[in-house]
Amino acid sequence: GELRASVPVLIERDGTVFNMMTIAPASESMQQAGTSKGAAVVPANQQFHDSAIKAWGYIDISGGTPTTSSGYNINSPGDGGAGITTITFVRPMASGSYCVTVSPESTNETNITSYVSNKSAAGFTVRTTVTGSYTDNIPFNFIVTGRQ
């Protein structure tokens, strides 16, 4: 279960006490509801709010093999063939209804398109084409937001 602790907060100015209250950290369900005005957002729970980035990554592809240069909440990328990379989450999303923004990076190619397909709670696929043909060796960045 969740660990929760209440912390007393003393509000004072120039030695005069204005208010004393107890603030408890927001739980996962409180973060997802987003309606509490009396709970504190602490680092251990901030990622539970729907607006927080749930996963991100920079995927480098060299010799047709995708690798994670940097990232958060992702396992090693999978190679699904030319221009097809699968991303799986360490902690899955609640469903396949989340947002992925993907951006290819290249200084040598034009007419590059990267798009997302096959979204599930476990992960998604990025497909990259150059002038309509699937191709490897185009690195890309992505971020994921939504309910986890």
Side-chain angles (χ1 to χ4, degrees):
E2 290 183 49
L3 293 176
R4 297 191 74 211
S6 297
V7 179
V9 176
L10 180 67
I11 301 171
E12 71 174 270
R13 183 179 69 200
D14 300 327
T16 302
V17 175
F18 290 95
N19 196 2
M20 176 129 177
M21 62 184 156
T22 301
I23 298 177
S27 65
E28 181 173 350
S29 60
M30 292 168 87
Q31 284 281 62
Q32 290 176 346
T35 57
S36 175
K37 294 180 182 175
V41 177
V42 296
N45 289 356
Q46 71 81 29
Q47 76 271 15
F48 296 129
H49 193 273
D50 288 349
S51 68
I53 293 175
K54 301 305 189 294
W56 62 268
Y58 176 72
I59 306 301
D60 194 16
I61 303 174
S62 180
T65 303
T67 58
T68 304
S69 289
S70 59
Y72 169 72
N73 191 33
I74 57 172
N75 292 307
S76 296
D79 185 359
I84 302 171
T85 305
T86 57
I87 304 295
T88 56
F89 302 121
V90 172
R91 183 174 192 255
M93 300 298 286
S95 71
S97 297
Y98 53 87
C99 179
V100 180
T101 303
V102 62
S103 177
E105 283 194 3
S106 179
T107 57
N108 302 325
E109 299 287 348
T110 58
N111 299 316
I112 301 170
T113 302
S114 286
Y115 62 95
V116 175
S117 65
N118 302 329
K119 287 193 316 182
S120 72
F124 58 93
T125 300
V126 175
R127 298 174 184 268
T128 301
T129 64
V130 174
T131 317
S133 297
Y134 287 111
T135 187
D136 276 333
N137 303 327
I138 305 289
F140 61 88
N141 304 287
F142 68 88
I143 58 171
V144 177
T145 57
R147 174 112 351 142
Q148 200 167 30

